[in-house]
Amino acid sequence: MTEKLESQTETVNTLDAVESPAHGAGTESAENETSAESAAAQAEGLRQDAQKAGARVGLTSDEIIINGGRPLKGRIEVRGAKNLATKAMVAALLGKTPSVLRNVPNISDVRVVAGLLALHGVLITRGEQAGEWRLDPSNVEVAHQADIDAHAGSSRIPILFCGPLLHRLGEAFIPDLGGCRIGDRPIDFHLEALRNFGAVIEKLPSGISLTAPNGLKGANIELPYPSVGATEQVLLTAVLAEGQTELRNAAIEPEIVDLICILQKMGAIISMEPNRVIFIEGVSELRGYDHRAIFDRNEAASWAAAALATKGDVFVGGVQQEEMMTFLNVFRKVGGDFDVHDDGIRFWHPGGALKPVTIETDVHPGFMTDWQQPLVVALTQAEGQSTIHETVYENRFGFTDALVQMGADIVVYKDGLNDATRRVKRREFEQAAVITGPTPLHGADIEVPDLRGGFSHLIAALTAEGQSKVTNLGIISRGYENFIEKLHLLGADFVYES
C-alpha cells in the first residue's frame, strides 16, 4: 500500500502545478488559560491548513502586501466550478471504465480529492490540454483510515465517497470533516439518506464507518432543507442502487444539474420533475464519462464585486449569463453595469453613486450565500443603508470584523431581523448585517478566516487607501485558481514574495 500510495502521489503532483481559516471562556483563571490555549491552537491549526492548501497549488508565501485605491482593469479567465469538479471526480468511482474531466481548476480542494482517489487506487493522469484529467477507477481498493484522515483534513468531500465506495467495495470510512468555519454544516442529512438506502453506520473515535451487508436499495427520501451536499449524496448513491429512488425537496443548483448530466452520460437514468423532485432508476453498471465542467459562478461573482468596489472594469472570460441571472440583477440594482458576450461577461463601475440594496440569501434560484460576502465590500461604498439577510449559514458574517477595522460601518444582528417584505422563509439560526455607506476604507493587517470571506478581504484591501497585509492566503487557494496571477493581469499594486 505504501509503495502504491507514493507512486500515486507522484502522479497527482505532476498535474498542472501553477501559482496561483473563539469560543467561550470560563470564569476562572485556569479555565481562561485553557480557553486561550485552545483558541491559539485552533488558530495555529487554521494557519497550518492554509499553508498546506496553498502549497498544493504552488503558493510559496502565506501573505500579500497590497497598496489599495487602484481600479482593477483587464481580463481574466475562470475555469470549472469547485462545487462541480470535485463531485465529478468522485462520480468517476462509479464507472467501469476511465473518465475524462475537462476544465478542472487548479485549486487545493481538487488536489485533496485527487489525493483521496489515489488512496483508493484510482489512477489520475493529466491530459493534453490544461485542466484535463483522466481518472481510471479500474483498481479501486480500501484505503487505510489514517491515510484518509491525513489527506482529508481540509475538505468535507469525503462524505460523498460513501455511496460510490459502498457500491464498489461494500464499505466506506469518513474521517472528522474540515472545511470553512462558517456554520455547523451537520452531516445528518447525508447519514440519514445513506441509512434509507440500507447502509449500516457505526460511529468510531476517529470517524464514521459504513457498510452495506445487504447492498443498497432505492428509497423515498425527502430532505428537510434543499441541501446541495445531501442532494449530491443521494444522486451518487441512487444511480447504482437496486430499484427506484424518489428525492423530494432536492437542490437544483446549476452544479447539481451538471452532475446529473455527467451521471446520465455514464448510463444513469435520472429525471428532474417540478417542485424540486428528482427520480432515479437504479442501473446495474455505469461507464466512464467525458465532460467539460460548468464554469465557477462564485469566482465570477467575486471578480465582478471586485470591479465594482474598486471602480474598475473587468472582463471575466468563460462565464455564461443564464447561471448568473440572479447575481446580474442585484449587480445592476447596486449601480454596476455589465455586457454579455459569447465568451464571457464584462463587469464595470459606470461612475456615479452606488445604491443600497436588501438581499436575502437562498438556495438556487435565489441569491447565493457565496455571493454576498464579496458584494458586501462594494456595499460599503453605496450611499445609504443595505441589509443582508443570511439564511443559509449561521456564521457567515465573521469576515465583517476586518472590514469594520478598515473603516466600514457594518452592524451584525446575530438573531436576524424581522422584515415584513421578506420573501425567503425565516430560518431559526439566520443572521443579518446592516451596511451603512459610503465609508472610505483604509489599509490594515488582515488574517483570512475562510474561503469567500478571505477573497472579500482581498477586495477590501484593493479598495482601501493605503497599505494592507493579508495573511493565511492558502485558504483562498481552496476555491480561486491562480488568483495571484489574476491580480497581476488586472493591474493590482501588490507585493507577493516567495
Side-chain angles (χ1 to χ4, degrees):
M1 179 65 187
T2 301
E3 293 179 357
K4 187 165 191 174
L5 174 58
E6 290 175 350
S7 174
Q8 283 283 62
T9 301
E10 289 176 2
T11 302
V12 172
N13 286 341
T14 65
L15 302 172
D16 296 352
V18 293
E19 182 182 291
S20 49
H23 291 84
T27 57
E28 299 295 328
S29 175
E31 292 176 338
N32 285 334
E33 290 178 4
T34 300
S35 178
E37 291 173 358
S38 176
Q42 183 182 55
E44 179 59 26
L46 286 171
R47 279 190 286 272
Q48 291 178 4
D49 284 348
Q51 290 168 350
K52 292 175 183 176
R56 275 193 290 269
V57 290
L59 282 181
T60 53
S61 174
D62 198 37
E63 69 179 43
I64 184 173
I65 297 173
I66 296 175
N67 297 307
R70 183 171 179 171
L72 296 183
K73 294 184 178 181
R75 173 171 180 146
I76 53 97
E77 304 288 329
V78 297
R79 277 209 273 198
K82 174 179 87 76
N83 292 337
L84 181 278
T86 49
K87 321 305 170 57
M89 293 169 69
V90 175
L93 278 170
L94 295 164
K96 290 269 189 174
T97 56
S99 293
V100 176
L101 183 61
R102 308 177 194 278
N103 204 31
V104 180
N106 186 45
I107 56 177
S108 58
D109 267 20
V110 164
R111 299 242 166 200
V112 168
V113 177
L116 288 169
L117 288 171
L119 285 174
H120 287 92
V122 177
L123 179 63
I124 305 174
T125 54
R126 112 180 121 179
E128 295 180 358
Q129 300 178 349
E132 180 180 315
W133 289 37
R134 185 178 187 272
L135 305 100
D136 186 349
S138 303
N139 298 307
V140 172
E141 61 183 42
V142 176
H144 292 304
Q145 293 183 9
D147 291 332
I148 297 173
D149 191 48
H151 277 72
S154 60
S155 175
R156 302 180 70 86
I157 293 295
I159 185 70
L160 294 178
F161 277 66
C162 292
L165 289 177
L166 286 171
H167 284 302
R168 292 294 302 266
L169 304 173
E171 62 179 280
F173 173 76
I174 312 169
D176 290 333
L177 299 177
C180 290
R181 273 72 170 175
I182 55 175
D184 288 341
R185 302 175 74 171
I187 61 172
D188 297 356
F189 295 173
H190 293 262
L191 298 181
E192 185 58 31
L194 290 164
R195 286 192 185 95
N196 287 334
F197 283 111
V200 176
I201 299 170
E202 180 184 3
K203 293 186 178 181
L204 305 173
S206 56
I208 299 174
S209 173
L210 298 94
T211 56
N214 300 313
L216 299 177
K217 313 240 186 299
N220 293 325
I221 298 171
E222 181 167 4
L223 298 177
Y225 180 77
S227 161
V228 170
T231 299
E232 293 163 341
Q233 182 73 259
V234 172
L235 290 170
L236 292 167
T237 305
V239 287
L240 286 177
E242 181 184 340
Q244 179 173 284
T245 295
E246 178 181 334
L247 174 61
R248 295 188 174 275
N249 203 25
I252 54 173
E253 272 70 3
E255 295 80 11
I256 292 288
V257 176
D258 210 32
L259 178 60
I260 289 174
C261 289
I262 288 171
L263 294 170
Q264 189 180 57
K265 286 180 177 181
M266 298 177 75
I269 301 174
I270 305 172
S271 61
M272 297 186 68
E273 305 292 333
N275 301 318
R276 297 184 177 275
V277 177
I278 300 176
F279 286 108
I280 307 102
E281 296 181 33
V283 296
S284 59
E285 68 177 38
L286 295 170
R287 57 183 175 271
Y289 62 79
D290 188 322
H291 189 80
R292 180 179 177 82
I294 187 176
F295 74 93
D296 198 307
R297 299 181 297 148
N298 294 333
E299 184 180 0
S302 296
W303 289 113
L308 190 60
T310 64
K311 298 183 179 179
D313 188 335
V314 177
F315 190 101
V316 184
V319 178
Q320 299 297 313
Q321 178 182 10
E322 182 178 353
E323 291 81 3
M324 298 290 293
M325 288 182 68
T326 302
F327 177 84
L328 294 175
N329 286 332
V330 173
F331 191 81
R332 181 164 282 163
K333 286 180 180 180
V334 174
D337 210 345
F338 59 89
D339 274 338
V340 178
H341 298 256
D342 289 342
D343 60 341
I345 301 178
R346 174 194 169 202
F347 299 93
W348 77 93
H349 189 308
L354 298 182
K355 306 175 185 68
V357 292
T358 297
I359 298 170
E360 305 164 53
T361 65
D362 198 8
V363 295
H364 186 78
F367 193 89
M368 287 185 65
T369 177
D370 290 320
W371 293 341
Q372 62 92 347
Q373 288 173 292
L375 192 62
V376 162
V377 183
L379 292 177
T380 66
Q381 307 307 301
E383 292 190 353
Q385 194 173 84
S386 297
T387 303
I388 309 286
H389 297 279
E390 174 54 58
T391 74
V392 180
Y393 290 119
E394 66 270 31
N395 291 325
R396 199 138 212 184
F397 287 127
F399 79 102
T400 61
D401 291 344
L403 302 187
V404 172
Q405 177 189 351
M406 300 175 77
D409 184 350
I410 303 175
V411 179
V412 174
Y413 295 85
K414 296 188 179 299
D415 297 319
L417 290 171
N418 291 319
D419 187 340
T421 64
R422 288 279 301 274
R423 292 186 300 172
V424 178
K425 184 179 180 182
R426 183 178 172 84
R427 301 188 73 195
E428 290 183 3
F429 56 77
E430 71 176 43
Q431 293 185 324
V434 176
I435 306 103
T436 304
T439 53
L441 302 181
H442 53 77
D445 291 348
I446 308 166
E447 184 174 2
V448 169
D450 59 69
L451 175 57
R452 305 302 168 192
F455 198 88
S456 302
H457 290 162
L458 279 184
I459 298 174
L462 293 162
T463 305
E465 292 294 333
Q467 190 174 90
S468 297
K469 182 171 73 173
V470 184
T471 59
N472 227 26
L473 287 182
I475 292 177
I476 300 176
S477 73
R478 286 190 51 227
Y480 293 88
E481 180 188 56
N482 301 347
F483 66 92
I484 298 293
E485 178 184 337
K486 290 174 183 177
L487 290 175
H488 273 301
L489 291 172
L490 297 177
D493 184 0
F494 67 93
V495 176
Y496 175 76
E497 297 182 353
S498 61

